[in-house]
Amino acid sequence: MCHTAVSYSFTLYVCIIYCVKSMMLYQISISSALQLQSITKSITSAEAPVKEKYGRNIILGTHKEGGAVTFWSHAVSLPLSSNAILSWKFCHVVHKLLRDGHPNVDSRGHTASIRQMGTLWGNLHDRYGHIVALYAKLLCIKIDFHLKHLEIPPNLETPEQVLDKAIAIDINKVFDMTSEVLEYMEAALKLQETVFRQMESSSTSSTTPVGKCRLAPLVLVVQDCGPLYHFLVKLLFKLHSRIPLDALLGHRERFREQFNSLTQFFERARGMEFFKSIIQIPDLPDRVVVQLQSQVNTLESELEDQRTHKQMALVENECLRMEVENLRAQTAVAASIQATVEDAGDELSSVLVGLQAEKETLLRTVKDQEAEIASLRQAAQLHQTMLQQERERHQREMTALHNQLQEKVSDSGVLLQKLQDEQFSLLQCAVVEAEGMVLDAVAKVDDPLHVRCISTPDYLINRAELTLASIDKMQQSHVVYLRNMDDASGLLRSVTQFSHLISDTIVNGAGTAHSAPTDQADRLTDNCRDCATHCLQYLKELKLKATLPRADPTAVRFVVQRILNQGQDLRPRGADVQKEELADMVDKEMTATSTAIEDAVLRMDEILSQARRDSSGVKLEVNQSFHKSFNLKCRVLCVYCSILSGRRGSHLSVKGCRMGCNADAVSVQNISSINLDLLGSIRVTVIYYLTK
């Protein structure tokens, strides 16, 4: 019976333990789930501050968990490199954990990733990226400082006795700790200055979600800066009590700058409603700065007094040395006197005793001087150490400036490439426009409507010569552009001029072919097409970057030269033809022109007679009006022929139109003034009206 009761009690005990452990595991799982949910909702890309309840849940979760394993395991999966706002809020949450989370936050292994994230956003020149880089730097400094000085917790809430114990160490370690605290404070102040400057430049209000998103982390910065300032004052007082004044000049200057910056920071925060509702801004005692300055002045006075005493001691030492030499001389004289005068022994002994006393005094003075020299040597070594640290700081600053210069050079290279791309785009647009003009010109060569357009060989020669000149200018502008691709203005002007002239040459070449003999007309038309083909190929090479350097208009130049030669072949050779032959040619052309006009008038009379028989009313009036217009045009043509030939006295009678023109033989004196090409054009015009 007793054994059964014991067994029942043990079973009940095991069940209770199992239930308790199950409940604890359940609570831990619930806490982890709540913590993960809070992390997901607090670290987002929305430009709004982290809600207080989510931050509180994350902090409580670390205390329940006894660490921050859940937080860091989730943080590694966040896309911190793709969104600056997400990185900013991540830094805010990490800052909260360092201050208020469980002491075993275990941030040591994540310093490298935080520093890498800050470097990444610092190089991207993003507005949020800039402050993310500064925040990451502050967090890394904070983590390293508190890992090195474990007696000072990350929330900086340290009792006075702990601070006094922390600085009651070797003065060299106090000096190093002071430099670390100055760097700590400098990083925090740099972050707040940049945040406020960005808000002022973008006119962001502190009451909007955007403004609160930027200002929320500064609450933690305020909480850090107050204790840091107090600790820094203690360290500086400690240093000034042990180290010469000159060696601390750099520390005093940095402290004065940080005091002014911190004062402005706190005053600006007091004036914002955002901070009034969250935190009470501490007051900075001006008395500490004044007291520190008084102590510096006192130490400077003491140092000046020490220098004066040192100079006086050196003068006294020189005087004593001279006295010793004199005494030695006296001793030598006394020794010689003792050798010759035995009666002066007592007096000489007393002199020797006095000299021995003076010697001992001098020895003590020399020892004191040696001790002072040793002290000065130690101060000089400390000053040398300070100079070396200052030199290293300047070296770091020079390295940072060099990196910034390299970034500027890289940015200028990007801008130069962008300028060259824009200039080449303008060149491509000009080339596309030129291609359109050439295509339009070559289309007119085969356009039936263009067959009626006639050009003269002289005008074609003028166009071709200008085109050749523009090709030379194109080559020159091409070479200049290849040497300096930052400016394509010269090549753009050359392309525009070339496209107009080459198109004009093609169109006028086709027009000249319309009035040329068949064989020459066919060759001229083919050359115009070849000119367009080679021109389009040349423009295509100019339009592509790959073929731009080797674009060559030699083929275009060769074809234009052939067109020029053909134009010269088609020019009238009045100077080479005998005057008698020229007179015959004029007579034949005039006869053909007159015959064409007479045929046209006769046919028009027949058409009008037929129209009178077949039509009446408005239609008849239209036909008569057209007939009158036609007769008028024929009269003008006859008069024009008479003017060209310069003949008087003969009357050309054409049936059906009352008009006259000179028909005498052409005199030899007037042959040189006749334009055979123009007569041919008149005849072609008459035939055209006849066919119409």
Side-chain angles (χ1 to χ4, degrees):
M1 186 68 179
C2 181
H3 177 72
T4 302
V6 171
S7 176
Y8 176 76
S9 299
F10 179 75
T11 302
L12 181 61
Y13 176 73
V14 170
C15 291
I16 292 173
I17 292 176
Y18 177 77
C19 291
V20 171
K21 290 180 68 177
S22 299
M23 291 179 64
M24 291 177 64
L25 291 174
Y26 177 71
Q27 291 179 354
I28 291 174
S29 63
I30 292 177
S31 176
S32 298
L34 181 61
Q35 188 177 1
L36 285 174
Q37 182 183 9
S38 299
I39 294 171
T40 303
K41 290 185 177 181
S42 60
I43 305 177
T44 63
S45 60
E47 196 170 4
V50 177
K51 290 187 177 181
E52 189 64 29
K53 64 177 182 180
Y54 296 142
R56 185 169 55 254
N57 290 338
I58 297 172
I59 292 172
L60 292 176
T62 61
H63 286 281
K64 291 180 180 180
E65 184 181 353
V69 176
T70 301
F71 174 78
W72 291 118
S73 62
H74 183 70
V76 296
S77 62
L78 294 174
L80 300 178
S81 61
S82 61
N83 191 285
I85 299 177
L86 191 75
S87 301
W88 174 254
K89 298 170 81 169
F90 167 76
C91 293
H92 186 192
V93 174
V94 172
H95 199 170
K96 281 179 172 289
L97 289 181
L98 292 176
R99 283 191 55 84
D100 302 325
H102 192 272
N104 190 21
V105 171
D106 191 20
S107 57
R108 185 196 309 266
H110 303 278
T111 307
S113 60
I114 296 174
R115 185 177 288 108
Q116 182 179 3
M117 177 194 68
T119 303
L120 170 66
W121 285 112
N123 294 330
L124 293 182
H125 304 288
D126 180 77
R127 292 181 65 84
Y128 259 103
H130 188 191
I131 57 178
V132 167
L134 295 175
Y135 207 168
K137 179 181 178 181
L138 172 61
L139 293 178
C140 292
I141 292 174
K142 185 179 183 68
I143 293 171
D144 294 340
F145 179 83
H146 293 291
L147 288 176
K148 185 176 180 180
H149 305 284
L150 297 176
E151 67 276 8
I152 302 175
N155 60 7
L156 298 170
E157 296 178 358
T158 309
E160 290 294 328
Q161 58 270 21
V162 175
L163 290 179
D164 294 337
K165 183 179 180 181
I167 63 176
I169 54 178
D170 182 56
I171 194 63
N172 293 323
K173 294 182 179 180
V174 174
F175 187 90
D176 294 338
M177 184 182 292
T178 305
S179 300
E180 294 170 0
V181 175
L182 286 170
E183 185 179 5
Y184 196 162
M185 177 75 81
E186 192 174 84
L189 294 176
K190 182 67 175 177
L191 174 61
Q192 62 87 17
E193 288 176 359
T194 306
V195 170
F196 281 122
R197 185 170 61 252
Q198 287 188 1
M199 291 184 64
E200 290 175 356
S201 62
S202 60
S203 301
T204 304
S205 175
S206 62
T207 59
T208 61
V210 176
K212 291 179 180 179
C213 182
R214 293 174 185 262
L215 292 176
L218 298 188
V219 175
L220 305 178
V221 175
V222 171
Q223 294 175 343
D224 284 348
C225 288
L228 278 177
Y229 173 78
H230 178 66
F231 189 34
L232 185 58
V233 170
K234 277 184 168 292
L235 290 170
L236 287 174
F237 273 113
K238 180 73 173 181
L239 288 177
H240 280 81
S241 64
R242 298 283 301 278
I243 295 179
L245 193 63
D246 294 343
L248 298 175
L249 179 61
H251 280 47
R252 291 197 302 275
E253 292 296 329
R254 292 181 67 182
F255 174 74
R256 186 178 295 109
E257 292 176 359
Q258 291 184 4
F259 174 78
N260 294 332
S261 178
L262 187 61
T263 302
Q264 294 177 1
F265 173 34
F266 284 176
E267 289 178 356
R268 185 180 294 176
R270 288 191 191 96
M272 290 187 176
E273 293 296 331
F274 174 79
F275 290 99
K276 291 180 180 179
S277 60
I278 297 178
I279 187 173
Q280 182 178 0
I281 307 299
D283 294 325
L284 295 181
D286 294 339
R287 177 179 56 82
V288 175
V289 179
V290 175
Q291 183 178 358
L292 183 59
Q293 187 64 37
S294 301
Q295 184 180 5
V296 169
N297 295 334
T298 303
L299 292 174
E300 287 179 349
S301 301
E302 292 178 357
L303 180 61
E304 187 64 28
D305 293 339
Q306 290 179 2
R307 289 174 180 170
T308 304
H309 291 313
K310 178 182 176 181
Q311 294 293 333
M312 294 176 63
L314 290 175
V315 173
E316 292 176 356
N317 188 16
E318 184 66 20
C319 293
L320 289 174
R321 186 183 63 79
M322 294 176 63
E323 291 178 2
V324 168
E325 290 178 356
N326 293 330
L327 288 174
R328 287 176 182 173
Q330 293 176 6
T331 302
V333 173
S336 63
I337 294 174
Q338 185 179 10
T340 56
V341 182
E342 294 291 335
D343 297 337
D346 296 335
E347 183 179 356
L348 183 60
S349 298
S350 62
V351 171
L352 290 175
V353 171
L355 290 175
Q356 184 66 29
E358 290 179 357
K359 179 181 178 182
E360 292 176 357
T361 303
L362 289 174
L363 289 175
R364 286 194 299 271
T365 304
V366 169
K367 289 182 180 180
D368 294 338
Q369 293 294 325
E370 289 177 351
E372 185 176 359
I373 291 173
S375 176
L376 292 174
R377 185 179 293 108
Q378 182 180 4
Q381 291 178 352
L382 182 59
H383 182 65
Q384 184 67 25
T385 302
M386 292 293 298
L387 289 178
Q388 182 64 27
Q389 292 178 352
E390 187 70 17
R391 189 180 297 109
E392 292 175 355
R393 184 175 68 84
H394 284 303
Q395 185 65 31
R396 290 195 298 270
E397 292 177 353
M398 290 295 294
T399 302
L401 291 175
H402 179 70
N403 294 335
Q404 293 178 2
L405 178 60
Q406 292 295 329
E407 293 177 359
K408 296 295 183 182
V409 171
S410 177
D411 292 343
S412 65
V414 173
L415 293 176
L416 179 60
Q417 184 62 40
K418 184 177 180 181
L419 173 61
Q420 292 180 354
D421 293 341
E422 290 176 352
Q423 292 293 312
F424 186 72
S425 299
L426 293 175
L427 176 60
Q428 286 180 321
C429 294
V431 172
V432 170
E433 183 68 19
E435 287 177 339
M437 295 180 66
V438 174
L439 290 173
D440 182 68
V442 77
K444 290 180 180 179
V445 174
D446 299 322
D447 190 356
L449 298 177
H450 189 260
V451 175
R452 302 173 184 174
C453 298
I454 299 173
S455 180
T456 63
D458 291 334
Y459 189 73
L460 175 61
I461 291 170
N462 175 264
R463 296 292 93 186
E465 288 175 347
L466 291 176
T467 302
L468 290 175
S470 71
I471 292 174
D472 294 336
K473 189 173 181 181
M474 275 283 291
Q475 286 184 306
Q476 296 173 1
S477 301
H478 185 203
V479 172
V480 172
Y481 176 67
L482 290 179
R483 285 200 299 262
N484 180 19
M485 303 187 73
D486 299 342
D487 183 13
S489 59
L491 188 54
L492 288 175
R493 290 191 294 270
S494 298
V495 169
T496 304
Q497 183 186 30
F498 168 75
S499 61
H500 282 84
L501 291 174
I502 197 72
S503 301
D504 205 359
T505 300
I506 294 171
V507 172
N508 284 280
T512 304
H514 294 161
S515 61
T518 304
D519 294 338
Q520 292 178 322
D522 292 340
R523 288 197 302 273
L524 183 56
T525 303
D526 292 339
N527 285 332
C528 291
R529 294 192 182 96
D530 292 342
C531 180
T533 302
H534 291 300
C535 181
L536 290 174
Q537 179 62 29
Y538 174 56
L539 292 175
K540 180 180 179 182
E541 292 175 353
L542 285 177
K543 190 169 60 175
L544 301 176
K545 279 190 176 180
T547 58
L548 175 62
R550 62 172 184 271
D552 187 9
T554 302
V556 182
R557 182 196 303 277
F558 181 76
V559 179
V560 174
Q561 186 63 47
R562 286 190 304 186
I563 294 175
L564 175 61
N565 295 337
Q566 284 186 293
Q568 291 174 346
D569 293 338
L570 291 173
R571 292 178 70 180
R573 295 179 175 80
D576 300 330
V577 182
Q578 297 295 329
K579 293 182 178 180
E580 292 80 7
E581 294 177 356
L582 183 60
D584 293 337
M585 291 172 63
V586 172
D587 287 338
K588 291 178 182 179
E589 191 65 29
M590 288 294 296
T591 302
T593 302
S594 300
T595 303
I597 294 174
E598 290 175 359
D599 293 340
V601 172
L602 291 174
R603 186 170 180 182
M604 183 54 64
D605 288 340
E606 292 176 0
I607 293 173
L608 182 59
S609 299
Q610 183 67 29
R612 286 172 179 171
R613 291 193 298 267
D614 299 337
S615 60
S616 62
V618 177
K619 186 176 182 181
L620 179 59
E621 292 178 0
V622 171
N623 290 332
Q624 289 177 347
S625 175
F626 177 79
H627 182 261
K628 291 179 182 179
S629 175
F630 181 79
N631 287 336
L632 179 59
K633 292 176 181 177
C634 290
R635 185 182 297 111
V636 171
L637 292 174
C638 289
V639 172
Y640 199 23
C641 291
S642 175
I643 293 172
L644 289 173
S645 62
R647 292 175 293 179
R648 299 292 181 183
S650 178
H651 183 73
L652 175 63
S653 176
V654 180
K655 184 180 179 181
C657 64
R658 298 169 185 175
M659 63 182 179
C661 64
N662 297 323
D664 287 346
V666 179
S667 63
V668 177
Q669 289 80 5
N670 295 329
I671 289 177
S672 60
S673 64
I674 297 175
N675 192 329
L676 294 177
D677 288 339
L678 188 54
L679 289 174
S681 299
I682 292 172
R683 180 160 55 86
V684 172
T685 305
V686 172
I687 294 172
Y688 167 73
Y689 278 109
L690 183 59
T691 57
K692 294 294 286 185

